[in-house]
Amino acid sequence: MRIYDIILKKRNGGALTKDEIAFFIDGCVDGTVPDYQAAALCMAIYFRGMTDEETVALTDCMARSGDTIDLSRFGELTVDKHSTGGVGDKTTLIVAPIVAALGGKVAKMSGRGLGYTGGTADKLESIPGMRVTMGREEFLRQVEETGVAVIFQSGNLTPADKKLYALRDVTATVDSIPLITSSVMSKKIAAGARSIVLDVKAGSGAFMKTPEDARILARNMVAIGKACGRNMAALITDMSRPLGTAVGNTLEVIEAAEVLRGASRGDLYDVCAALATEMTMLFAGISHDEAAARVADAIESGAAYAKMKEWIAAQGGDIAWLERAKYGDGAAAAVPVVCPADGFITAMDTEAIGAASVILGAGRSKKEDAIDFSAGIIVKRKTGDRVEKGQTLACLYTNDAASAESAAKRYLDALTIGPEAPEKTELIFDIIR
Ligand code: URA
């Protein structure tokens, strides 16, 4: 078999066989397929697409390209979630303890943030003492005892994806449905959970800018996950404004704890409750209404917040800190973004708001950048809200006072303020089961 013939076949619109896909992935990992040929095949896939059979084969080969996690000791109880990434998306911090409090087993690998979307591993590390690296046996023991462990995705999981994603990033081939599907689903399959719930974001702060595009991606990922033998569901949720109010690591941990204490309701609560409900339906095999009732009860009874504390303590995190932490702790400067005119916020460029948080120090522009955990934004007014000249639209927190001016400008430029209230939009566009 020659990689040249495989590229030619896909370039001409042919469907690749399982063996051809395996040959390509093996060659990517062992270095016998050079980068230029791997990139050429990605481009051919970008233009020609893939059948479901090809995408399943690609996902399966990528999932097996490195280590896999064996969660079989937990039977049907393992459940994972994946978000396609957004601004203020701290759902894992809320959903994981809810599901664990209800008897699910959440053995989760998470990434660090790059650019305008944050990473769960960074948010967790903003808790003093919290460890996000541990050995495989310790990880599984914690899942056994506590029901939840979330660690930084390290080791040799899906090396084929690492290589291909880096190539796609520099060859304009990231936004291909079969390539995104195989990239995301291979990591989830290798991570071992029986059930997987996806949160596919749509809007100005997401990869998929419209609900229609997000729906196509979500349907594809659900179909491929099922074909790989997993129980699947996907929510398509709004990212045309930040989720909740906090953007930035420590701020988001505090907001997550508030939701679990029952002190914060709103869009973040609603998305988390919907995600936890889908996860509970899958791991417990119960109806939507039954799962939704159990989720609401886990929050109202305090069981989910108790589980959050148990989980954080198990990973060395300081519970006393969590109980007393307040917005702005650790940040030398708190700078208001002041409303320039009366009217309504009619749109938010959420990606630009994420970029403003990076300017403040809350995220990385390059992989090796350090993060200021206490930096970030508390969003006080969102799309649809009436605003008045002089009112505080957001509060910026930073330890780099010089950055606040350009971050405030970036934030303000991200808002559209007009005389009429915009039409109300959905928070959860669709659920695909
Ligand atoms: N996130 C991933 O992990 N892979 C993609 O291809 C796109 C987003």
Side-chain angles (χ1 to χ4, degrees):
M1 213 178 278
R2 290 192 321 157
I3 191 70
Y4 176 90
D5 298 323
I6 295 173
I7 297 169
L8 183 67
K9 184 175 180 187
K10 181 48 73 183
R11 190 203 72 182
N12 291 342
L16 304 179
T17 65
K18 264 189 190 165
D19 286 349
E20 286 166 336
I21 289 170
F23 181 81
F24 166 57
I25 292 300
D26 290 349
C28 283
V29 175
D30 68 20
T32 52
V33 173
D35 285 0
Y36 51 86
Q37 286 184 311
L41 186 54
C42 287
M43 189 58 88
I45 293 169
Y46 178 91
F47 281 114
R48 291 301 194 168
M50 280 185 140
T51 63
D52 278 2
E53 288 71 30
E54 288 176 286
T55 313
V56 169
L58 182 59
T59 305
D60 187 54
C61 288
M62 284 167 63
R64 292 169 197 268
S65 67
D67 296 343
T68 54
I69 314 254
D70 180 4
L71 298 179
S72 56
R73 68 173 87 168
F74 304 115
E76 289 300 305
L77 296 178
T78 51
V79 57
D80 199 353
K81 83 158 257 284
H82 176 81
S83 159
T84 56
V87 177
D89 181 357
K90 68 285 285 176
T91 50
T92 294
L93 305 180
I94 299 167
V95 161
I98 296 175
V99 170
L102 294 173
K105 298 288 185 192
V106 184
K108 190 160 171 51
M109 307 260 183
S110 281
R112 298 197 194 281
L114 186 61
Y116 68 92
T117 60
T120 301
D122 296 319
K123 298 178 213 260
L124 290 174
E125 275 192 323
S126 75
I127 302 168
M130 188 87 175
R131 285 182 305 127
V132 294
T133 52
M134 62 177 83
R136 185 73 56 91
E137 259 321 301
E138 188 185 0
F139 175 61
L140 294 176
R141 202 176 330 113
Q142 186 179 312
V143 174
E144 178 101 55
E145 289 167 3
T146 313
V148 48
V150 182
I151 58 170
F152 175 57
Q153 184 183 319
S154 59
N156 193 33
L157 222 66
T158 58
D161 176 60
K162 273 189 199 98
K163 165 142 186 187
L164 286 179
Y165 197 35
L167 283 179
R168 287 166 55 213
D169 208 18
V170 292
T171 55
T173 49
V174 168
D175 52 342
S176 144
I177 298 279
L179 293 178
I180 298 173
T181 297
S182 54
S183 166
V184 169
M185 292 310 300
S186 63
K187 286 180 283 225
K188 293 286 115 185
I189 303 284
R194 290 286 309 131
S195 300
I196 301 163
V197 174
L198 305 167
D199 182 6
V200 181
K201 305 279 187 197
S204 58
F207 211 53
M208 295 285 145
K209 299 297 176 201
T210 66
E212 293 68 37
D213 284 348
R215 198 172 278 116
I216 293 169
L217 177 62
R219 285 215 172 102
N220 201 256
M221 291 203 286
V222 166
I224 300 308
K226 284 185 177 175
C228 291
R230 305 305 160 105
N231 306 314
M232 296 292 307
L235 269 71
I236 297 160
T237 66
D238 182 40
M239 192 33 76
S240 66
R241 64 202 84 181
L243 185 60
T245 58
V247 181
N249 299 282
T250 302
L251 299 173
E252 293 190 38
V253 169
I254 296 171
E255 187 180 17
E258 286 200 346
V259 169
L260 289 179
R261 282 185 209 120
S264 170
R265 288 264 176 165
D267 58 352
L268 177 60
Y269 178 98
D270 291 344
V271 167
C272 289
L275 285 168
T277 296
E278 293 300 317
M279 292 168 81
T280 303
M281 286 168 69
L282 292 181
F283 89 76
I286 56 176
S287 71
H288 174 271
D289 291 357
E290 172 74 35
R294 287 192 198 178
V295 166
D297 184 58
I299 300 172
E300 277 155 33
S301 66
Y305 183 51
K307 184 58 78 178
M308 182 192 208
K309 289 191 285 185
E310 188 188 342
W311 160 38
I312 288 172
Q315 289 185 220
D318 182 348
I319 298 305
W321 173 87
L322 186 75
E323 301 263 38
R324 62 166 195 266
K326 320 187 289 312
Y327 292 148
D329 281 356
V335 179
V337 177
V338 178
C339 185
D342 291 349
F344 292 88
I345 299 181
T346 56
M348 298 176 99
D349 177 347
T350 311
E351 187 172 334
I353 292 173
S357 76
V358 174
I359 294 172
L360 294 166
R364 298 182 182 84
S365 305
K366 300 188 294 314
K367 258 198 206 143
E368 43 295 331
D369 287 351
I371 280 191
D372 176 357
F373 289 131
S374 54
I377 302 171
I378 293 295
V379 176
K380 294 191 181 282
R381 292 285 179 272
K382 292 212 231 182
T383 307
D385 287 346
R386 181 180 242 305
V387 292
E388 285 171 21
K389 189 171 176 188
Q391 192 175 37
T392 299
L393 297 175
C395 189
L396 311 182
Y397 294 104
T398 185
N399 284 301
D400 173 16
S403 71
E405 196 180 327
S406 65
K409 180 171 177 344
R410 194 74 190 260
Y411 191 96
L412 216 42
D413 288 348
L415 305 183
T416 309
I417 297 176
E420 308 281 341
E423 256 178 47
K424 256 193 172 320
T425 51
E426 299 289 328
L427 176 64
I428 298 172
F429 296 110
D430 208 349
I431 299 179
I432 292 162
R433 297 196 175 106

